[in-house]
Amino acid sequence: LFFGYTMYTILKEFRWFIEYRHAWLRRFNQRNYSILVRNIPESLRSDKLLMEHFEMISRKDAVLEAHVCLKLPHLNSMVSRRKNCIASLEHALAELEMKNKRPKHLVIQNLNNKKKKNMVDAIDYFTEEVNQLNDDISRAINKIEARGRPRLAMTNKWIGS
């Protein structure tokens, strides 16, 4: 009797699960049609080469897109520093507007194990920092794209059926 009730309950739950699973899969959702591939060999780490490889090992029309994503801690660090500089620049501009006085910023430089402190105009300093970081970020992106043109904005590899 107990075994029969258990089997009945499992069957009921299974039908419920199948109904909702199929409803979820019928919805067009990017993750329903995406595959994440890790540990891609160096020789295939470009969008074009990865796409050709997937087309070679499956039907040609089965692959919609293939994108290589990179971990770029140095680039992420520069973007984060730029974000902080922009926030500081906006703060300095707001301070100028409120007080009608250009704010100062303390710059500490290490020269031959000696710290040199210098007060500079905050708006000029952060404007120059943001411009320099913009140039550095652009150069880093161009260098990365020249190595095989991976897409920096994408985070998924896609294979459709």
Side-chain angles (χ1 to χ4, degrees):
L1 188 62
F2 180 72
F3 179 75
Y5 177 73
T6 303
M7 290 305 293
Y8 170 76
T9 305
I10 290 173
L11 179 62
K12 194 168 141 183
E13 287 295 316
F14 186 69
R15 286 182 180 151
W16 175 87
F17 172 78
I18 292 294
E19 177 186 340
Y20 284 96
R21 175 74 176 155
H22 285 202
W24 186 78
L25 288 174
R26 277 192 301 265
R27 291 185 297 177
F28 182 76
N29 197 338
Q30 179 181 352
R31 70 175 172 254
N32 294 351
Y33 302 96
S34 301
I35 296 175
L36 174 66
V37 180
R38 295 176 186 249
N39 302 320
I40 299 171
E42 285 282 335
S43 60
L44 296 175
R45 290 190 184 167
S46 79
D47 293 350
K48 182 180 178 192
L49 292 174
L50 188 61
M51 180 78 166
E52 289 171 358
H53 176 73
F54 284 138
E55 286 177 341
M56 182 181 72
I57 63 174
S58 65
R59 291 189 341 257
K60 205 164 188 62
D61 63 342
V63 181
L64 299 178
E65 298 179 46
H67 300 287
V68 175
C69 302
L70 303 173
K71 288 185 180 179
L72 304 166
H74 180 66
L75 183 60
N76 289 340
S77 170
M78 285 192 293
V79 170
S80 180
R81 284 191 354 240
R82 179 180 63 182
K83 182 180 175 185
N84 291 337
C85 282
I86 289 171
S88 297
L89 175 60
E90 288 172 348
H91 178 78
L93 290 170
E95 194 173 318
L96 171 64
E97 189 175 312
M98 286 176 59
K99 296 180 180 177
N100 254 356
K101 180 181 170 191
R102 291 181 75 86
K104 300 289 182 189
H105 177 72
L106 178 63
V107 177
I108 301 174
Q109 295 175 322
N110 286 324
L111 301 171
N112 300 327
N113 293 330
K114 293 181 181 178
K115 290 187 178 182
K116 181 182 174 188
K117 297 179 180 180
N118 194 13
M119 292 298 283
V120 297
D121 182 89
I123 295 172
D124 293 342
Y125 176 79
F126 288 117
T127 299
E128 180 59 34
E129 283 290 306
V130 168
N131 289 337
Q132 183 63 48
L133 285 166
N134 282 338
D135 292 343
D136 293 347
I137 290 168
S138 292
R139 276 194 298 278
I141 289 172
N142 291 338
K143 184 178 175 183
I144 292 163
E145 288 179 338
R147 286 189 292 182
R149 306 207 49 81
R151 294 175 63 125
L152 299 180
M154 297 302 293
T155 58
N156 290 333
K157 284 74 176 172
W158 307 21
I159 300 178
S161 56

